[in-house]
Amino acid sequence: EVQLVESGGGLVQAGGSLRLSCAASGFTFDDYNIGWFRQAPGKEREVISSISNSDGSTYYADSVRRRFTISSDHAKNTVYLQMNSLKPEDTAVYYCVADFCLGRLCSESEYRYWGQGTQVTVSS
């Protein structure tokens, strides 16, 4: 059974940092893509970052590029999202997602496996 467990969310002031973790189990971690989606109240869900554990390629949405960094610890089967220079507009529920896309990063609609989400709130 695929399980994705997020942690690390919380309340932070604008300009601060948080690190989200996604502990994965139930699949061959090295073969899968892991991504992060977020959904703010009244807004559409968006994929903000992803990583291919097979070749290390990464994706960042324009809204988070140069502020967020995704990384993968293969020994711990855990993916991290380091979030720096946080803004109030980063406030959302953040979801870890996973799926297998041979030789490429998965597209937004391809992720079948989802974690339960973790709340990130950035105060101004």
Side-chain angles (χ1 to χ4, degrees):
E1 178 189 4
V2 172
Q3 287 196 322
L4 302 168
V5 180
E6 303 101 332
S7 60
L11 173 64
V12 64
Q13 288 189 331
S17 298
L18 283 174
R19 188 178 77 159
L20 304 184
S21 300
C22 174
S25 61
F27 58 90
T28 304
F29 185 80
D30 291 356
D31 291 343
Y32 269 55
N33 283 200
I34 308 289
W36 290 94
F37 278 71
R38 70 183 180 187
Q39 187 161 25
K43 294 189 176 181
E44 289 190 2
R45 187 178 63 196
E46 62 172 335
V47 57
I48 56 170
S49 186
S50 60
I51 186 166
S52 166
N53 281 332
S54 61
D55 66 11
S57 56
T58 58
Y59 163 81
Y60 294 97
D62 289 343
S63 57
V64 305
R65 188 172 292 121
R66 289 183 292 277
R67 297 189 299 124
F68 292 9
T69 302
I70 192 168
S71 61
S72 190
D73 186 332
H74 292 248
K76 296 183 178 180
N77 282 11
T78 299
V79 168
Y80 302 99
L81 186 68
Q82 178 67 42
M83 306 187 296
N84 298 329
S85 302
L86 283 162
K87 305 174 182 179
E89 51 264 45
D90 293 317
T91 295
V93 178
Y94 284 69
Y95 297 92
C96 176
V97 297
D99 215 314
F100 175 75
C101 297
L102 182 63
R104 60 179 176 86
L105 287 170
C106 298
S107 65
E108 184 171 341
S109 62
E110 290 182 292
Y111 288 102
R112 291 176 291 165
Y113 305 110
W114 289 68
Q116 82 285 356
T118 186
Q119 177 70 46
V120 171
T121 303
V122 184
S123 63
S124 57

